[in-house]
Amino acid sequence: MALPTRRRDTGTWDPFAEITDMTHRLQEQMEAWRGHSTMPGVGFTPLADIEETDDAYSIEVELPGVRKSDVSIELVGQRVIISGERQEKERKGVIRRRARRVGRFRYEVALPSEFDDSRVEATLKDGVLILRLPKPASEKPRQVTVS
């Protein structure tokens, strides 16, 4: 039995574009369902890694194409909220495929313990935002010798 072919006015059918589009729509629905899209107009949640060492937390957020001036970082208790906007690039040609997301973004995480918010460092280099959140002295492990 032959399968029906799907034709579009724009040319040949690209099944990978269909899958990419469906994946983006599903991610948006999951983000809204989980409550990540609490801020009006939030388009996506960027990918991030969180690492804990003895003296600090480190959060690395992928933000390619985002300027420093377009990023906002809020510290509320043990929560870190990173938001901003990835601007649309001016284009001269016709876009044949779009996989990168533009628009508003928001990333929020609650860390398991306190951090010293007066010593937080943030750098944006090569499209990666790196936040270093030092733990207070009371949170750092210390060795006790047995006498």
Side-chain angles (χ1 to χ4, degrees):
M1 176 174 167
L3 295 174
T5 59
R6 184 172 179 177
R7 296 183 185 203
R8 293 184 177 193
D9 295 335
T10 59
T12 60
W13 177 55
D14 183 3
F16 297 108
E18 294 281 332
I19 293 170
T20 301
D21 184 49
M22 183 178 64
T23 302
H24 285 303
R25 285 186 283 146
L26 182 60
Q27 285 174 342
E28 288 171 359
Q29 291 298 317
M30 292 299 289
E31 289 169 3
W33 179 71
R34 279 186 261 159
H36 286 283
S37 297
T38 56
M39 194 167 70
V42 170
F44 66 97
T45 302
L47 300 175
D49 293 333
I50 302 172
E51 180 181 3
E52 180 180 4
T53 61
D54 289 340
D55 63 337
Y57 293 100
S58 177
I59 302 174
E60 295 181 9
V61 184
E62 291 185 4
L63 297 174
V66 177
R67 296 185 306 254
K68 293 177 186 180
S69 59
D70 292 335
V71 177
S72 172
I73 302 168
E74 294 179 61
L75 307 174
V76 182
Q78 291 177 224
R79 291 185 314 147
V80 177
I81 303 165
I82 301 165
S83 60
E85 186 170 2
R86 181 181 298 150
Q87 301 291 331
E88 176 70 37
K89 179 179 154 181
E90 186 174 324
R91 307 215 183 250
K92 295 180 182 179
V94 176
I95 296 177
R96 298 291 183 190
R97 183 177 205 178
R98 175 176 288 182
R100 297 186 305 161
R101 306 194 60 188
V102 295
R104 306 249 345 128
F105 63 85
R106 180 181 171 105
Y107 178 80
E108 183 174 340
V109 64
L111 297 174
S113 65
E114 296 289 326
F115 53 88
D116 187 353
D117 59 356
S118 65
R119 297 187 308 140
V120 172
E121 299 170 1
T123 57
L124 182 62
K125 183 178 179 185
D126 298 329
V128 178
L129 174 68
I130 301 171
L131 253 85
R132 185 172 185 286
L133 303 122
K135 294 180 180 178
S138 63
E139 293 284 330
K140 294 179 185 174
R142 61 182 188 135
Q143 291 290 329
V144 176
T145 56
V146 178
S147 56

